[in-house]
Amino acid sequence: MNEIIFIIIKTAIVFAVVLTIVALTTYAERKIIGRAQARYGPMEVGPHGLLQPVADFIKIFFKEDIIPQNAEKFLFQIAPLVVLVFTMINLTVIPFNNNFIIADLNIGILFILASVSISVYGIIIAGWSSGSKYSFLGGLRSASQVLSYEIALGLSLAGVVLMAGSLKLSDIVQAQNQTVFGMYAIPQIIGFIVFVIAAFAETNRAPFDLPEAETELVAGYLTEYSAFRYALFFLAEYVAMYIMASLVSLCFLGGWTIPKFITDLFPVLHKVPGLIWLAIKIFGFIFLYIWVRATFPRYRFDQLLNIGWKVLIPAGIVNLIVIAIVKRIWL
């Protein structure tokens, strides 16, 4: 009974912290993109616009929830929940340090990949059930995009699993800590690059935001949504960004540890909590998400598919083969 209560408390803490950080991320993104485009970003609500996320929440909460006449009502209503639930559930298997994880699964990576795949069905359902051609095309784009880039994402993580010898995220972090570099991003630089690019496509972020391209599809699968259901899709997108940022930090950047050669030079760094190092890596990757959105133009859809099938998947296969050969010879 005590263990169940402890799990509930940890779940509440993780979800509350993540939702708060997501709200602040929307503000940070506007500010960073504003600076990149020589403007201020939000300034009106609160000091320097700090209360803008609160104003956005109040505005969205009180907006009318409109359901199109030709929509499949039940599917239209549950689609945002499908996306959000199967995105948020991934937070339960993310280890934040040695002692803080809700569910330390032996198949943590597979669980995340499966949950991410299921959440895409929510986007497809949203596009089809809306009764709009723009929404339907956005849903189809999302399906083909995820099919293309999930393979590359899985291949890049397969190299990590092969090198670490485990699907458990905490084991992968400890395995990296035992290596010379203290992370897999250096010996698996190809897999690292493949993962980063695939992570942008998996989360529908620029320059791979084709499912919701406003210049072509008005807003894609979101076109017919309003009010709180509209916000749920964006909440899921930002949580997915943090899931991918956590994965790249845990699987390629050493997670909550830092390389041994650095701590040997600066022993005082041992006193810094591991959660701080993990947070720095995660926020660094989130900044990369925002920076890319501010600077890169959107790809055409044929270019997006060509990159996935003709570049990333072959590169992921080559990386996996090289890791397998090196590990075989090393053993």
Side-chain angles (χ1 to χ4, degrees), residues 164-177:
S166 176
L167 289 163
K168 195 174 182 179
L169 288 167
S170 55
D171 289 347
I172 291 172
V173 172
Q174 296 303 329
Q176 290 177 83
N177 195 35

Side-chain angles (χ1 to χ4, degrees), residues 119-305:
S119 68
V120 177
Y121 283 101
I123 294 176
I124 299 170
I125 292 170
W128 178 80
S129 65
S130 296
S132 164
K133 292 181 180 178
Y134 290 117
S135 301
F136 184 58
L137 287 173
L140 291 180
R141 281 186 173 188
S142 181
S144 57
Q145 180 170 318
V146 169
L147 178 64
S148 303
Y149 283 85
E150 229 171 50
I151 299 172
L153 192 77
L155 287 171
S156 63
L157 290 176
V160 171
V161 171
L162 187 60
M163 184 170 279
S166 176
L167 289 163
K168 195 174 182 179
L169 288 167
S170 55
D171 289 347
I172 291 172
V173 172
Q174 296 303 329
Q176 290 177 83
N177 195 35
Q178 303 302 318
T179 62
V180 175
F181 300 106
M183 60 180 70
Y184 285 159
I186 297 175
Q188 290 203 44
I189 185 64
I190 297 176
F192 175 65
I193 294 173
V194 168
F195 183 92
V196 169
I197 298 173
F200 277 82
E202 279 291 304
T203 51
N204 294 332
R205 292 284 300 186
F208 303 123
D209 55 340
L210 276 299
E212 54 191 63
E214 69 276 0
T215 52
E216 306 160 34
L217 302 178
V218 185
Y221 63 93
L222 289 164
T223 302
E224 302 299 332
Y225 280 89
S226 60
F228 207 66
R229 298 184 201 281
Y230 182 85
L232 291 180
F233 279 111
F234 281 98
L235 175 59
E237 179 179 307
Y238 279 89
V239 173
M241 287 167 56
Y242 275 95
I243 297 296
M244 288 299 163
S246 299
L247 265 185
V248 74
S249 302
L250 294 168
C251 295
F252 289 99
L253 302 178
W256 56 83
T257 66
I258 53 176
K260 189 174 182 299
F261 65 87
I262 295 179
T263 55
D264 289 341
L265 290 174
F266 306 100
V268 70
L269 295 179
H270 281 296
K271 298 181 180 180
V272 180
L275 183 61
I276 300 298
W277 297 122
L278 181 61
I280 290 172
K281 295 170 186 178
I282 290 174
F283 289 133
F285 196 74
I286 294 296
F287 176 79
L288 179 64
Y289 265 121
I290 299 171
W291 181 33
V292 168
R293 180 182 175 184
T295 53
F296 278 76
R298 181 184 294 121
Y299 282 96
R300 293 197 318 265
F301 197 66
D302 61 313
Q303 293 174 328
L304 179 141
L305 293 180

Side-chain angles (χ1 to χ4, degrees), residues 19-55:
L19 292 177
T20 302
I21 291 174
V22 163
L24 295 175
T25 302
T26 61
Y27 169 79
E29 181 169 21
R30 294 178 183 181
K31 280 292 188 181
I32 293 169
I33 293 177
R35 291 295 178 178
Q37 297 172 349
R39 54 188 178 82
Y40 287 110
M43 289 293 292
E44 297 298 322
V45 187
H48 293 278
L50 276 171
L51 297 179
Q52 187 64 50
V54 178

